[in-house]
Amino acid sequence: MSGDDEAYVYDEATGEWRPPGSAAAPPETIAVRDAAGNVLADGDAVTLIKDLKVKGANQTLKQGTVIRSIRLTDDPEEIDCRHDTIKGLVLRTEFVRKR
Protein backbone atom coordinates (compact mmCIF):
# COMPACT_ATOMS: atom_id res chain seq x y z
CA MET A 1 0.00 0.00 0.00
CA SER A 2 1.50 3.31 -1.01
CA GLY A 3 1.29 6.59 0.89
CA ASP A 4 -0.97 7.99 -1.85
CA ASP A 5 -3.88 5.80 -0.72
CA GLU A 6 -4.08 7.72 2.54
CA ALA A 7 -4.29 11.06 0.73
CA TYR A 8 -7.96 10.59 -0.16
CA VAL A 9 -10.75 11.79 2.11
CA TYR A 10 -14.18 10.17 2.39
CA ASP A 11 -16.97 12.68 1.70
CA GLU A 12 -20.01 11.54 3.70
CA ALA A 13 -22.39 13.86 1.84
CA THR A 14 -21.72 12.24 -1.54
CA GLY A 15 -20.42 8.85 -0.39
CA GLU A 16 -17.29 9.18 -2.52
CA TRP A 17 -13.55 9.20 -1.89
CA ARG A 18 -12.07 12.53 -2.97
CA PRO A 19 -8.57 14.01 -3.14
CA PRO A 20 -7.72 16.25 -0.18
CA GLY A 21 -9.01 19.78 -0.50
CA SER A 22 -11.92 18.94 -2.81
CA ALA A 23 -14.16 17.75 0.04
CA ALA A 24 -13.40 20.87 2.07
CA ALA A 25 -15.53 23.09 -0.18
CA PRO A 26 -18.95 23.67 1.38
CA PRO A 27 -21.92 22.57 -0.71
CA GLU A 28 -23.82 25.33 -2.48
CA THR A 29 -27.02 26.28 -0.75
CA ILE A 30 -29.93 26.95 -3.04
CA ALA A 31 -32.45 29.50 -1.81
CA VAL A 32 -35.96 28.10 -1.60
CA ARG A 33 -38.45 30.72 -2.78
CA ASP A 34 -42.24 30.96 -2.60
CA ALA A 35 -44.55 32.02 -5.46
CA ALA A 36 -43.83 35.71 -4.80
CA GLY A 37 -40.04 35.23 -4.73
CA ASN A 38 -39.62 35.48 -0.93
CA VAL A 39 -36.91 33.26 0.57
CA LEU A 40 -38.31 30.47 2.77
CA ALA A 41 -36.60 28.94 5.81
CA ASP A 42 -37.32 26.06 8.19
CA GLY A 43 -40.07 26.99 10.64
CA ASP A 44 -41.73 29.65 8.46
CA ALA A 45 -45.49 29.89 8.08
CA VAL A 46 -46.97 29.97 4.59
CA THR A 47 -50.40 30.61 3.08
CA LEU A 48 -51.85 28.70 0.14
CA ILE A 49 -52.48 30.88 -2.91
CA LYS A 50 -54.73 28.32 -4.64
CA ASP A 51 -57.20 25.55 -3.73
CA LEU A 52 -55.28 22.25 -3.78
CA LYS A 53 -56.69 18.74 -4.00
CA VAL A 54 -54.63 16.46 -1.77
CA LYS A 55 -53.88 13.10 -3.40
CA GLY A 56 -54.75 10.14 -1.20
CA ALA A 57 -56.63 12.21 1.38
CA ASN A 58 -59.83 12.95 -0.56
CA GLN A 59 -59.62 16.48 0.76
CA THR A 60 -59.12 19.96 -0.67
CA LEU A 61 -57.01 22.59 1.07
CA LYS A 62 -58.61 25.96 0.44
CA GLN A 63 -56.88 29.13 -0.70
CA GLY A 64 -55.78 31.17 2.32
CA THR A 65 -55.12 28.11 4.51
CA VAL A 66 -52.16 28.79 6.81
CA ILE A 67 -49.50 26.10 7.11
CA ARG A 68 -47.12 26.57 10.05
CA SER A 69 -43.64 25.20 10.75
CA ILE A 70 -42.58 24.18 7.27
CA ARG A 71 -39.41 22.18 6.68
CA LEU A 72 -37.23 22.53 3.62
CA THR A 73 -36.39 19.43 1.59
CA ASP A 74 -33.53 18.55 -0.76
CA ASP A 75 -35.71 19.74 -3.64
CA PRO A 76 -35.92 23.56 -3.80
CA GLU A 77 -39.40 23.29 -5.33
CA GLU A 78 -40.96 21.28 -2.47
CA ILE A 79 -41.51 21.84 1.26
CA ASP A 80 -42.54 19.42 4.02
CA CYS A 81 -45.59 20.55 5.98
CA ARG A 82 -47.89 19.58 8.79
CA HIS A 83 -51.63 20.10 8.70
CA ASP A 84 -54.14 19.12 11.37
CA THR A 85 -55.88 16.54 9.19
CA ILE A 86 -53.08 15.47 6.81
CA LYS A 87 -49.82 13.82 7.86
CA GLY A 88 -46.75 13.83 5.64
CA LEU A 89 -47.92 16.71 3.46
CA VAL A 90 -45.50 17.93 0.79
CA LEU A 91 -46.36 21.14 -1.06
CA ARG A 92 -44.81 22.72 -4.12
CA THR A 93 -43.41 26.17 -3.45
CA GLU A 94 -45.24 27.60 -6.48
CA PHE A 95 -48.53 27.31 -4.52
CA VAL A 96 -47.50 29.03 -1.28
CA ARG A 97 -46.70 32.55 -0.11
CA LYS A 98 -44.69 33.41 3.00
CA ARG A 99 -46.68 35.02 5.84
Side-chain angles (χ1 to χ4, degrees):
M1 186 178 264
S2 67
D4 292 338
D5 292 338
E6 296 174 20
Y8 283 85
V9 178
Y10 185 72
D11 184 0
E12 292 182 12
T14 62
E16 298 175 349
W17 287 94
R18 299 191 176 264
S22 66
E28 282 189 37
T29 56
I30 299 172
V32 178
R33 298 185 181 271
D34 67 1
N38 300 316
V39 176
L40 297 173
D42 283 338
D44 282 348
V46 295
T47 305
L48 296 181
I49 62 169
K50 176 181 176 177
D51 288 356
L52 298 174
K53 291 183 181 179
V54 180
K55 292 180 182 179
N58 293 331
Q59 184 177 355
T60 300
L61 293 175
K62 300 291 183 183
Q63 178 180 353
T65 301
V66 176
I67 306 289
R68 292 181 176 83
S69 298
I70 66 166
R71 287 176 291 163
L72 303 181
T73 63
D74 293 335
D75 186 348
E77 295 180 358
E78 294 180 349
I79 55 174
D80 245 349
C81 309
R82 286 186 187 165
H83 189 265
D84 297 338
T85 58
I86 304 168
K87 297 192 188 255
L89 180 63
V90 176
L91 293 176
R92 298 206 33 101
T93 55
E94 64 189 292
F95 300 123
V96 298
R97 183 181 66 235
K98 186 175 180 177
R99 288 203 61 169

